[in-house]
Amino acid sequence: IAAQSFPTCCRWICIICNLYHLQLFVFLAPWAPVVGLEIHAQITSNSKLFSGSQVQFAAPPNSLVSFFDASLPGTLPVLNRRCVEAAVMTGLALNCTINKKSLFDRKHYFYADLPAGYQITQQRVPIAVNGSLSYSLCKDNKMSQMVTKTVRIKQIQLEQDSGKSLHDDARSQTLIDLNRAGVGLMEVVMEPDMCCGEEAAAAVRELQLILQTLGSSQAIMAEGQLRVDANISVHHPGEPYGVRTEVKNINSIRFLAKAVDYEIHRQIKELENGGTVLNETRAFDSKLGCTVPMRDKEGKQDYRFMPEPNLPPLILYDAKSLPANVNHQQVVNIDWIHERLPDLPSVKRAKLVELYGILPEHSFTLMNEDGLMDFFEDVVKQTQMKPKKVIGWILNDLLSHLKQHSLTAKESPISSFFLADLLNLLENGDISSSAAKQVFEELWKGEGKTPLEIVKEKQLELIQDQEELEQICQAVIDEREKEVMAIKGGNQKVINKLIGLVRKATRGRANPLLVKQILEKKLSE
């Protein structure tokens, strides 16, 4: 049986035995990995979930802490309307059912960066349930073969973030920064419908794009605005799920894929060697490329959930249930939010394909790279070149340079205006494609010169004088008697060599189509 016929995420073991001159194939049951995700997205809001403290990344430690954030006695929570609307918007975008009545709960655990000794969350009745997220990934690492899959969304809940513990190993002490304490989070809980790191990474990337499109979260993983906990187990098909481990606080999509795949491999190896998988929390060490134990979960932690006594039920309305003469500033209208949802990434990709005639896989690349879609559209608006040609320059030249220098499209030293100018020169026949590449490299240096200035400075413009070209072509013909005889003998492919020699003599300034016409005319005389 061909290896390709096996499921990508399952491991088959084949033992070939030679018994009585017969080939006996024994297939052991495959390992089926199971991956579920819990994703914490920081809500884009000027203030925290239950206090008026400002939200700002990298502010001086403990400079954005209200009395409530510090859990001083007598302080009470006041729910942030913006955070509620962001959660509703996200739930609608993920095809969830929005609960018109949701509840807040206290989740008790004791840690230095949680001054109240509990977190306000939504354990019993969250704000949104039963959704789905469709995502796409490459089949067999081929961009031309995209496969679409769907993961179920169990729920989305509002909750507070904790503070931050800063461990000073040199002084053997831990410092607490409460700036993050009380910041609004959406926890998106995905069902265990994935089976490998690639799927988990693709699902999180699609969610990240949706959150950024909605504006409900900036979802910048490097700033901790999107953190992923991955629950991973392996089992034989038909048997109950295996013991799962949780890999906590993964802050990179690339690290997520590596962590999940490593953990799957580690568990399979452990079980095949006769060991057992522990129900534990692990962390991913990006330097070592492996997961390491943090704490075991064998003894089930009692969070002592209880209703939050200081917050009433959160009541939402739709057009039908909205009371008459109500102050619209005091309620959240689900239908009003639904009507104002922007185009989601999947819709944007379809529009890119339809509007510009590009390939579907190119639309994924444009959407996945920060700012690249806007850059592409800006260039298309300013150039006479067809979008199908523009996309080649964007993906093959610009994007490759950006990746080499770890830059985003917004940080590109070449502006969309300059790239469009360059493509216009090429499209109008003022320069050759090889000359355009040279101009691109000069533009990348960011010296502020326009494409036309570079072309004139480097003398890269195409030779427009027909007589000059004819003289150069004649000189090449006179020097290459052997090639000329081959062409006249019927070997037309040799003319490409002569074209190359003419271009070399003109330093790439000769139009190859015009050169070919001149050569063919002279050789037929």
Side-chain angles (χ1 to χ4, degrees):
I1 297 178
Q4 298 94 296
S5 64
F6 299 149
T8 304
C9 299
C10 294
R11 178 173 175 172
W12 290 81
I13 303 171
C14 173
I15 302 174
I16 306 176
C17 301
N18 192 339
L19 182 63
Y20 299 108
H21 306 290
L22 296 175
Q23 294 293 327
L24 176 63
F25 290 82
V26 180
F27 290 96
L28 300 184
W31 287 108
V34 177
V35 181
L37 302 176
E38 297 171 9
I39 301 157
H40 292 86
Q42 180 180 314
I43 298 171
T44 300
S45 173
N46 293 328
S47 56
K48 297 182 181 181
L49 183 58
F50 296 117
S51 79
S53 296
Q54 185 182 353
V55 177
Q56 180 185 334
F57 179 70
N62 296 310
S63 61
L64 305 174
V65 185
S66 70
F67 291 158
F68 177 80
D69 302 330
S71 194
L72 296 186
T75 55
L76 294 173
V78 179
L79 183 58
N80 184 334
R81 174 195 175 97
R82 159 62 189 164
C83 293
V84 175
E85 291 177 336
V88 171
M89 190 185 307
T90 303
L92 292 171
L94 295 177
N95 308 302
C96 292
T97 299
I98 306 299
N99 284 324
K100 293 181 183 177
K101 178 181 178 181
S102 58
L103 305 173
F104 288 99
D105 306 281
R106 289 185 179 182
K107 176 183 180 181
H108 292 83
Y109 62 94
F110 301 97
Y111 206 69
D113 55 23
L114 193 72
Y118 62 84
Q119 175 195 42
I120 300 179
T121 182
Q122 291 189 306
Q123 188 258 346
R124 291 171 296 161
V125 185
I127 195 168
V129 294
N130 301 331
S132 63
L133 170 67
S134 294
Y135 61 95
S136 298
L137 62 161
C138 304
K139 184 179 180 182
D140 300 326
N141 292 322
K142 296 178 181 177
M143 278 297 294
S144 59
Q145 299 181 23
M146 304 294 291
V147 179
T148 300
K149 298 195 173 187
T150 301
V151 58
R152 292 169 295 154
I153 306 294
K154 181 181 179 182
Q155 64 190 54
I156 300 174
Q157 60 198 49
L158 284 167
E159 61 186 30
Q160 296 171 295
D161 206 347
S162 61
K164 193 172 184 180
S165 298
L166 306 170
H167 304 290
D168 186 346
D169 294 330
R171 300 181 182 181
S172 300
Q173 63 183 7
T174 297
L175 304 175
I176 304 299
D177 180 9
L178 293 180
N179 280 349
R180 202 176 66 183
V183 169
L185 297 178
M186 292 179 288
E187 181 177 358
V188 181
V189 182
M190 294 184 179
E191 298 282 11
D193 296 337
M194 294 156 284
C195 66
C196 61
E198 184 183 13
E199 290 188 8
V204 171
R205 178 54 180 151
E206 187 69 11
L207 175 64
Q208 184 183 41
L209 287 173
I210 290 172
L211 294 173
Q212 291 170 344
T213 299
L214 297 173
S216 57
S217 173
Q218 292 181 335
I220 303 171
M221 299 190 82
E223 296 183 5
Q225 295 178 3
L226 195 70
R227 309 191 294 271
V228 183
D229 301 338
N231 294 289
I232 305 153
S233 67
V234 297
H235 69 286
H236 293 306
E239 296 181 1
Y241 284 178
V243 176
R244 74 181 182 186
T245 58
E246 183 180 27
V247 184
K248 293 282 287 186
N249 289 329
I250 305 169
N251 62 356
S252 156
I253 291 177
R254 185 163 55 92
F255 291 164
L256 171 63
K258 289 183 176 182
V260 169
D261 287 338
Y262 175 85
E263 187 59 20
I264 290 170
H265 175 75
R266 185 192 71 82
Q267 291 187 21
I268 291 174
K269 186 177 180 181
E270 184 73 28
L271 293 170
E272 287 182 349
N273 290 335
T276 57
V277 174
L278 299 177
N279 181 14
E280 62 182 348
T281 300
R282 300 176 71 89
F284 179 68
D285 188 320
S286 58
K287 294 180 181 178
L288 298 177
C290 65
T291 62
V292 293
M294 289 177 63
R295 56 184 180 270
D296 72 76
K297 300 170 72 173
E298 294 297 334
K300 185 173 176 60
Q301 187 167 359
D302 182 9
Y303 290 114
R304 295 182 296 123
F305 284 102
M306 61 170 281
E308 168 54 60
N310 294 324
L311 286 169
L314 173 58
I315 306 298
L316 307 178
Y317 298 91
D318 56 20
K320 293 181 180 179
S321 60
L322 191 66
N325 302 321
V326 71
N327 184 347
H328 291 275
Q329 296 299 318
Q330 299 297 320
V331 298
V332 174
N333 187 332
I334 300 169
D335 290 336
W336 187 88
I337 294 173
H338 192 275
E339 290 169 2
R340 285 157 179 78
L341 285 179
D343 286 342
L344 296 180
S346 57
V347 176
K348 286 185 178 181
R349 284 191 286 260
K351 286 185 176 180
L352 285 171
V353 172
E354 182 181 355
L355 184 60
Y356 300 115
I358 62 176
L359 297 174
E361 54 265 28
H362 292 163
S363 70
F364 275 91
T365 306
L366 290 177
M367 287 292 298
N368 285 345
E369 300 295 333
D370 185 25
L372 195 62
M373 183 189 72
D374 292 336
F375 193 100
F376 166 74
E377 292 191 310
D378 287 344
V379 173
V380 169
K381 291 174 185 175
Q382 301 173 80
T383 184
Q384 300 160 15
M385 184 177 281
K386 292 182 179 179
K388 286 184 178 181
K389 288 184 179 180
V390 174
I391 194 70
W393 279 87
I394 294 292
L395 300 185
N396 299 331
D397 296 276
L398 180 70
L399 184 57
S400 62
H401 277 68
L402 291 173
K403 286 188 175 293
Q404 286 173 18
H405 296 85
S406 300
L407 298 173
T408 66
K410 297 174 183 177
E411 300 166 326
S412 171
I414 302 178
S415 67
S416 60
F417 177 75
F418 275 1
L419 182 56
D421 267 3
L422 171 59
L423 298 184
N424 282 334
L425 290 174
L426 178 59
E427 189 69 11
N428 293 333
D430 296 322
I431 57 174
S432 65
S433 57
S434 59
K437 300 284 185 183
Q438 294 179 54
V439 176
F440 185 91
E441 294 297 335
E442 291 297 318
L443 288 172
W444 186 262
K445 295 177 182 179
E447 295 175 352
K449 297 176 184 177
T450 68
L452 186 58
E453 288 172 345
I454 295 170
V455 167
K456 289 182 177 179
E457 181 183 303
K458 302 286 183 181
Q459 296 183 340
L460 296 173
E461 61 268 30
L462 285 176
I463 298 173
Q464 304 295 341
D465 190 333
Q466 179 100 359
E467 289 185 11
E468 183 182 353
L469 271 180
E470 287 181 355
Q471 291 174 5
I472 296 171
C473 289
Q474 187 62 54
V476 170
I477 289 172
D478 293 342
E479 293 173 1
R480 296 287 173 168
E481 186 177 338
K482 183 180 177 181
E483 284 80 0
V484 171
M485 293 297 293
I487 294 169
K488 290 184 175 181
N491 189 353
Q492 294 299 317
K493 291 183 179 179
V494 180
I495 199 171
N496 292 326
K497 185 175 182 180
L498 297 184
I499 294 171
L501 291 169
V502 173
R503 296 194 69 197
K504 184 177 180 181
T506 60
R507 292 182 298 166
R509 297 172 59 209
N511 185 331
L513 293 177
L514 182 56
V515 169
K516 186 176 182 181
Q517 291 174 6
I518 295 172
L519 288 172
E520 287 176 342
K521 182 180 178 181
K522 287 186 173 294
L523 290 171
S524 64
E525 293 175 352

